[in-house]
Amino acid sequence: MTYALWPEYSVVIGVFVTMIAVMVFNRRSIQAYWVGLATIVVSGIITIADWSSKSLPVALYGHAVTVDAFSLVVNGLVLVAAAGALMIGWNDKRYGPDFPVLVLLALLGMMVLGLANNFVVLFIGIELLSLPLYILAASRGTGESGEAGLKYLLLGAFSSGILLFGLALLYGASGTLVFTHLDPAHMILPLAGAGLALTVVGLVFKLGIVPFHMWIPDVYEGSPLPVTTYMAFGTKVGAAAILMRFLFFGFSLDAGWWGPALGYLAVLTMVVGNLLALAQKDLKRLLAYSGIANAGYLLVGISAHNMFGARALLFYLLPYGLAVLAAFAVIQFVAGERDSLSLDDLTGLAYRSPWLAAFLTVAMLSLAGIPLTGGFVGKFYLIQAALFANQPGLAIGLVVGAMVGLAAYVRPLQRAFSKAAGESSEPIRWPVAGSIVLVVAVVATIGLGVYPAPVVHIVNHSAAFYWLH
Amino acid sequence: MIPLNWIVGLGAALFAIGAVGVMVRKNPLIMFMAAEMMWNAAALVFVAYARSFHAMSGQVMAFIIIGTAAAEVGIGLAIIVSVYHHRHRLDIDEVSQLKG
């Protein structure tokens, strides 16, 4: 009897209980949120228990899923994302009664992506992640929210179609559905090449890499704020995890097929994403472009294709996600009843609420990669990985991207610390659940920057794919 | 017996028609239908290869694609209808409050 899959099973049970709670307690129920949070906590505890168990790594269901240290780290990251999103939107009347149920369902999809070792599981994970997010994006019921949901749906279905056709061609070239049984050396070449290209394009679409990024800003801007937070953190973790897993398990010996292409895309994404972030007036759009640029940083870790790249990618996901949680929590507090926040609305924030301005500063500096924040350590490891892989171009691209990004992230801070035009505004409310997320995220961001050793240790252990060296 | 390459060719043609349809058409319903066509092209190719390999795995994948497509259609039509209720017209160029 193995307990390897119990983090996922507990989320499945949690989904059902949450659904029942929504039905029993009269639509708008605080109980559903509590059940959802309890599910996340239980799943997290089981993940930690699995981490120290002797039976891992283990392959189940004819190598369809592999539970190893990598999948457990992905579990941990997406659990943090789900908890953050749930608490930022805690019992908010705007988001409909099904909010906790859908958050848990998408969480399940992200966890499945972490352990996939099979085309079927990959596809189910991607769809289980996407379908609840389509509903969540449109759940606000306003014109903008509906538009975000519609765009996400159409481009999501389109990219899933590309991904599926790529998988079908790979199946035809190799005759197997299992990543680790793919044998690129004995594949029919044009078929395998086309299949790999289409599959990677489909996955990169989900991650938001530059030629395929156009849906991200619109969807992020129109979606309700906690949902945007969830997409910016959780979806990126899931997509990066499955891309790495697929390429490192299936095509690790043929890095020449995909490494250079992903490297060029990474540089393009880092530079273009940060440049476009410079021009934004809406804070959610700015963070959307920042998310695109950060997807480029993540791609550096994959295209470096060595142990350091895998470690750096896994490490970078955490400070990026924490900074996103903190920044969106601040936006949620300042925006109050509104859905979005322009840069002008930030004017004088430092005088209205010094603490919020300070927290926003930490989040922005971490995204920009200033020392003593987690973002700096993450970028440091990524550059190190690129240099160890003998790809100085990647490192240069990362530094240039980060420099441009710094200018983009300083603009909201400059507004926040300038004097307001004089009109007195009402004080900012601090919802309890959101405050917990904000404080924890900020403290953890600084903690990662000052003392990253424990996380580095975990990440080093989990990225130990034995064929990389 | 139809040769394998013809079926895969048909799948590729359906996929290309679907992809062009998503990019060219303006009506969200038609775009959505075209995207579903890409999915079904992939399912067809999976079944064709599964038959030539005498293996079940590809057919399992095809069934899962069909089931997921049904779920996606349910959600997709709901979203499209709710957008239609807001505007009473369906044209993707007019759904552009969010400038990208």
Side-chain angles (χ1 to χ4, degrees):
Chain A
M1 179 70 197
T2 166
Y3 294 97
L5 282 178
W6 272 95
E8 285 75 22
Y9 292 159
S10 63
V11 174
V12 173
I13 297 169
V15 167
F16 284 118
V17 178
T18 320
M19 257 189 237
I20 293 168
V22 173
M23 284 188 278
V24 171
F25 295 101
N26 252 350
R27 286 182 57 76
R28 279 239 53 81
S29 69
I30 184 75
Q31 286 86 352
Y33 285 84
W34 279 113
V35 175
L37 194 63
T39 305
I40 292 172
V41 170
V42 168
S43 182
I45 291 171
I46 300 175
T47 303
I48 294 169
D50 269 0
W51 178 264
S52 47
S53 93
K54 294 279 183 291
S55 58
L56 298 183
V58 56
L60 300 168
Y61 306 114
H63 294 278
V65 300
T66 304
V67 183
D68 54 9
F70 176 82
S71 82
L72 291 179
V73 165
V74 172
N75 274 3
L77 286 167
V78 297
L79 285 167
V80 172
L86 197 67
M87 288 173 80
I88 288 177
W90 190 260
N91 205 24
D92 199 319
K93 289 185 178 47
R94 288 176 285 178
Y95 309 133
D98 301 323
F99 179 71
V101 183
L102 295 171
V103 166
L104 284 187
L105 269 174
L107 167 69
L108 187 62
M110 296 164 192
M111 294 169 92
V112 167
L113 282 180
L115 32 90
N117 186 22
N118 179 315
F119 293 168
V120 179
V121 181
L122 182 160
F123 174 63
I124 290 181
I126 290 270
E127 291 307 312
L128 202 51
L129 156 77
S130 304
L131 294 185
L133 282 175
Y134 299 152
I135 311 177
L136 281 174
S139 65
R140 182 82 166 84
T142 59
E144 283 167 11
S145 174
E147 182 184 336
L150 182 63
K151 284 182 173 166
Y152 195 16
L153 169 81
L154 289 176
L155 282 159
F158 180 58
S159 59
S160 292
I162 297 175
L163 171 72
L164 272 179
F165 201 74
L167 293 179
L169 294 185
L170 277 182
Y171 175 63
S174 67
T176 177
L177 292 175
V178 180
F179 298 168
T180 38
H181 295 176
L182 291 173
D183 187 5
H186 295 101
M187 282 186 188
I188 310 157
L189 193 69
L191 206 56
L196 179 64
L198 286 174
T199 309
V200 168
V201 165
L203 290 176
V204 151
F205 228 113
K206 307 277 181 200
L207 190 60
I209 296 298
V210 148
F212 316 106
H213 70 291
M214 52 292 180
W215 58 277
I216 290 212
D218 286 359
V219 171
Y220 279 27
E221 188 187 352
S223 302
L225 221 141
V227 180
T228 312
T229 318
Y230 200 25
M231 286 180 201
F233 187 178
T235 314
K236 290 260 195 287
V237 175
I242 191 63
L243 188 60
M244 185 154 111
R245 190 87 159 191
F246 172 68
L247 290 174
F248 284 12
F249 271 29
F251 293 89
S252 62
L253 297 176
D254 301 79
W257 288 18
W258 48 269
L262 286 188
Y264 286 120
L265 286 185
V267 173
L268 189 68
T269 308
M270 290 184 284
V271 175
V272 171
N274 279 317
L275 274 177
L276 289 174
L278 269 178
Q280 301 307 316
K281 293 193 175 61
D282 184 284
L283 211 49
K284 264 163 107 180
R285 274 188 100 80
L286 194 153
L287 284 170
Y289 281 106
S290 141
I292 296 172
N294 279 290
Y297 300 150
L298 295 176
L299 209 52
V300 170
I302 296 178
S303 50
H305 189 252
N306 55 14
M307 192 83 99
F308 300 99
R311 289 173 183 170
L313 182 148
L314 278 179
F315 181 85
Y316 189 70
L317 284 168
L318 186 60
Y320 163 67
L322 290 172
V324 163
L325 284 181
F328 277 107
V330 170
I331 298 178
Q332 173 86 332
F333 290 2
V334 178
E337 290 298 305
R338 282 170 298 165
D339 277 329
S340 65
L341 200 64
S342 73
L343 283 188
D344 292 330
D345 295 334
L346 276 182
T347 311
L349 180 67
Y351 302 92
R352 283 170 75 193
S353 171
W355 279 108
L356 276 185
F359 289 164
L360 183 67
T361 309
V362 173
M364 288 298 178
L365 292 185
S366 178
L367 283 173
I370 302 294
L372 290 187
T373 60
F376 169 75
V377 183
K379 289 195 180 63
F380 176 81
Y381 281 126
L382 283 170
I383 292 177
Q384 188 192 34
L387 291 178
F388 281 161
N390 253 336
Q391 294 179 324
L394 281 178
I396 294 170
L398 203 157
V399 172
V400 171
M403 293 299 233
V404 180
L406 180 61
Y409 298 124
V410 165
R411 281 180 63 232
L413 296 184
Q414 177 217 346
R415 295 296 171 85
F417 284 93
S418 61
K419 264 255 190 295
E423 87 274 27
S424 65
S425 42
E426 73 275 26
I428 294 166
R429 284 186 57 247
W430 289 60
V432 179
S435 308
I436 295 172
V437 174
L438 179 56
V439 172
V440 169
V442 166
V443 170
T445 300
I446 297 175
L448 272 182
V450 178
Y451 185 58
V455 180
V456 170
H457 179 72
I458 291 174
V459 161
N460 284 354
H461 180 51
S462 74
F465 301 117
Y466 57 88
W467 47 87
L468 292 178
H469 40 95
Chain B
M1 188 157 147
I2 310 169
L4 172 68
N5 280 348
W6 289 18
I7 307 181
V8 176
L10 174 65
L14 282 175
F15 176 78
I17 295 171
V20 171
V22 173
M23 288 186 271
V24 169
R25 297 301 290 264
K26 300 289 179 201
N27 186 322
L29 265 178
I30 307 286
M31 289 168 73
F32 192 52
M33 193 188 78
E36 292 297 323
M37 207 156 128
M38 294 164 69
W39 286 42
N40 287 323
L44 177 67
V45 174
F46 266 114
V47 173
Y49 279 124
R51 199 186 62 164
S52 84
F53 296 147
H54 299 289
M56 288 307 287
S57 48
Q59 305 196 12
V60 171
M61 184 73 182
F63 271 111
I64 284 175
I65 292 174
I66 294 168
T68 318
E72 178 132 10
V73 165
I75 291 168
L77 289 184
I79 291 176
I80 292 175
V81 166
S82 86
V83 170
Y84 177 75
H85 271 300
H86 262 276
R87 303 166 192 271
H88 298 283
R89 266 185 64 100
L90 271 183
D91 189 323
I92 200 70
D93 288 340
E94 292 180 18
V95 187
S96 58
Q97 284 179 20
L98 306 168
K99 285 282 181 287

